[in-house]
Amino acid sequence: MSIKFQIQETFGNTDIYLLDQLLKGTYVDCHTVLDAGCGEGRNLFYFLKNEYEVYGVDRNPEAVLKIQEFAAQFSEDDTAQNYQLSTVDKLPFKERKFDLVISSAVLHFAESLEHFEAMLAEMWRVLKPGGYFFCRLASDIGIESMVRFIGNGRYILPDESERFLVNQEMLLRLTKKLGGELHEPIKTTNVQNMRSMTTWCVKKL
């Protein structure tokens, strides 16, 4: 068996920055996992395969059907109800339910600062104290002079896409405001000066 096949068998198509946390063992004591904006579930493969209690929401009904079908392969129980059609700003879960909340490439679709804060507040609400928030989102870090502000926290990027953007100061401020702490430094990938994607890893105190 090739190394490439072994890695694929273990982690599937998991986001490389989430994979980094898995390899470090950050989430080894997490049992309940929510992917808020899960799509078809590519970031849930490892958790499903290793018998975590997994949940997901997405606003796309086709994606929800696909993740329900995908997740069914990993359990003899009916887990379809774990994957629901929902927006991130109105999560259908009780407070402090999850040990880990994943938000991958979701928050930069916020329509305004109020919308961004509403989504963030909901994900934080359902996270247990001591739990982890893993977030990947677009930022202006490293491309500050190349983006054009169009209002409501949204910008036109050099690749002509439109996104809600954060910066490092904003993420540090939000970390403190939420009552969390960084368990990893804020890290940003600059994609050939066309866009920047930032990884924000927070532990809830």
Side-chain angles (χ1 to χ4, degrees):
M1 183 184 295
S2 70
I3 293 176
K4 178 180 178 181
F5 184 77
Q6 290 178 47
I7 294 172
Q8 192 76 22
E9 276 284 291
T10 303
F11 298 107
N13 294 318
T14 301
D15 182 293
I16 190 169
Y17 300 94
L18 179 58
L19 175 60
D20 177 52
Q21 295 304 309
L22 294 175
L23 292 174
K24 289 174 178 175
T26 305
Y27 309 136
V28 68
D29 292 324
C30 295
H31 303 288
T32 51
V33 178
L34 170 66
D35 190 343
C38 62
E40 297 178 13
R42 74 183 186 94
N43 281 322
L44 294 177
F45 180 87
Y46 173 86
F47 300 104
L48 288 165
K49 189 170 182 181
N50 288 279
E51 301 182 344
Y52 287 72
E53 187 178 345
V54 179
Y55 295 78
V57 299
D58 202 274
R59 64 181 183 180
N60 182 341
E62 292 182 5
V64 173
L65 287 174
K66 287 183 178 180
I67 181 58
Q68 288 174 338
E69 293 171 358
F70 178 63
Q73 305 171 52
F74 299 91
S75 176
E76 295 179 359
D77 300 325
D78 182 7
T79 60
Q81 71 281 359
N82 289 17
Y83 307 95
Q84 299 188 39
L85 184 66
S86 173
T87 56
V88 175
D89 58 342
K90 295 181 180 179
L91 293 173
F93 304 109
K94 65 181 182 180
E95 292 183 5
R96 303 181 176 187
K97 180 176 177 64
F98 300 102
D99 298 305
L100 169 63
V101 175
I102 298 167
S103 174
S104 183
V106 172
L107 282 174
H108 54 234
F109 292 112
E111 297 169 2
S112 63
L113 177 60
E114 292 73 21
H115 188 210
F116 175 91
E117 290 181 337
M119 289 193 286
L120 181 60
E122 273 292 271
M123 290 187 284
W124 198 256
R125 177 184 68 81
V126 301
L127 184 63
K128 294 177 183 178
Y132 293 92
F133 178 55
F134 173 88
C135 184
R136 286 270 294 162
L137 73 172
S139 74
D140 71 356
I141 299 171
I143 56 170
E144 294 89 346
S145 64
M146 304 175 192
V147 298
R148 178 163 55 89
F149 182 63
I150 56 173
N152 289 325
R154 296 180 65 85
Y155 293 77
I156 301 295
L157 276 64
D159 65 4
E160 298 302 321
S161 63
E162 183 180 324
R163 297 285 186 269
F164 183 96
L165 298 183
V166 299
N167 56 45
Q168 180 168 293
E169 291 72 25
M170 180 180 181
L171 294 180
L172 291 172
R173 184 174 69 251
L174 286 169
T175 300
K176 184 176 181 180
K177 180 181 177 182
L178 289 167
E181 64 179 10
L182 297 179
H183 66 86
E184 287 273 336
I186 293 170
K187 300 174 183 177
T188 299
T189 302
N190 182 320
V191 185
Q192 208 167 342
N193 285 332
M194 298 300 287
R195 63 185 182 279
S196 288
M197 290 294 293
T198 293
T199 304
W200 182 33
C201 295
V202 184
K203 185 173 183 178
K204 187 173 185 178
L205 298 177

